[in-house]
Amino acid sequence: ELKTKISEIETKLSEESSSNVAVNRTELIKSLKSFYQKYPENEFAANCLNKLHLIHSADRDYKTAAAYADTLLEKSPKFPERAIVLESQYNTYDMFIKPRNKEKAKKYLQMLLDENPDMDAEQRKDFEYRLKYIDLTIEQLISMDREELK
C-alpha cells in the first residue's frame, strides 16, 4: 500500500504544476520515511533511503542527505547503485558539508576505489589523484598547478 502511494506521488510530482509540487514533495518524503521505518528489511526500503538521500541533496540539506546515505550504505551493502552513493558521500563530505570532513571524504573515496576495481581507468586516475591530495580543499587543488603537486 505504501509502495503504491509512493509511486502515485512520484507520478503526480512529474506531472503537476509547481504550485502543488511542495505539498506532494512533503508527502513523498513522509511516505518514503514511513515505508523504511515500517519495512526496513524490505528490498524497496533501500530505494526509499536512496530517494530520501537524493531529495535532501537536491534541497542542499547535505547533513540529512548524508545521514540517509550512511544508513543506506550500512544497511544495504549490495545496493545496485552503491558506487553512486559512495561518490555522492565523498563529494558531500569533501565540498558541501561545512566544516569540511576530510576523514570521511577520504573514507568514502577509498571505499569507492576498493569496491570498484573495474571502474573506468580515467575516472580511477582522477579519484586516486584526489585521494593523494585529500589534505587540500578542492579550491586549493584547483588553484595549484599540477606540476607543483607531483
Side-chain angles (χ1 to χ4, degrees):
E1 175 188 316
L2 261 175
K3 192 174 178 181
T4 304
K5 182 178 181 181
I6 290 168
S7 188
E8 289 170 359
I9 295 169
E10 288 176 327
T11 301
K12 277 188 202 174
L13 277 170
S14 68
E15 297 170 349
E16 289 196 359
S17 65
S18 59
S19 61
N20 293 328
V21 168
V23 172
N24 285 326
R25 190 177 176 92
T26 302
E27 186 65 25
L28 176 61
I29 290 169
K30 283 173 40 179
S31 296
L32 290 166
K33 283 183 190 177
S34 182
F35 188 95
Y36 174 73
Q37 290 166 347
K38 287 183 180 180
Y39 312 105
E41 302 304 318
N42 186 292
E43 187 178 305
F44 187 67
N47 289 321
C48 292
L49 290 171
N50 191 45
K51 288 176 185 190
L52 287 162
H53 155 245
L54 294 172
I55 290 167
H56 288 288
S57 287
D59 289 345
R60 296 182 178 171
D61 181 0
Y62 299 114
K63 288 183 180 177
T64 303
Y68 282 116
D70 279 337
T71 302
L72 170 62
L73 292 167
E74 179 187 325
K75 303 284 185 187
S76 302
K78 303 267 189 237
F79 185 65
E81 296 174 23
R82 184 174 172 86
I84 294 168
V85 178
L86 286 169
E87 185 174 354
S88 174
Q89 287 295 79
Y90 143 66
N91 283 312
T92 296
Y93 286 112
D94 194 34
M95 294 185 282
F96 300 121
I97 291 181
K98 303 295 182 205
R100 177 176 175 253
N101 188 328
K102 74 176 179 185
E103 289 76 23
K104 283 198 174 186
K106 181 179 180 177
K107 170 189 164 183
Y108 288 112
L109 188 51
Q110 190 65 61
M111 287 172 68
L112 179 63
L113 288 165
D114 291 347
E115 293 180 19
N116 297 281
D118 298 329
M119 79 168 48
D120 175 76
E122 190 64 31
Q123 189 176 32
R124 174 170 291 281
K125 183 178 167 189
D126 289 345
F127 286 144
E128 288 171 343
Y129 180 83
R130 182 66 190 111
L131 190 59
K132 182 176 178 182
Y133 296 104
I134 199 71
D135 287 339
L136 301 175
T137 66
I138 196 74
E139 293 84 5
Q140 291 169 323
L141 193 60
I142 290 169
S143 70
M144 297 181 80
D145 185 302
R146 283 196 183 237
E147 288 303 313
E148 292 179 63
L149 299 171
K150 286 188 177 173

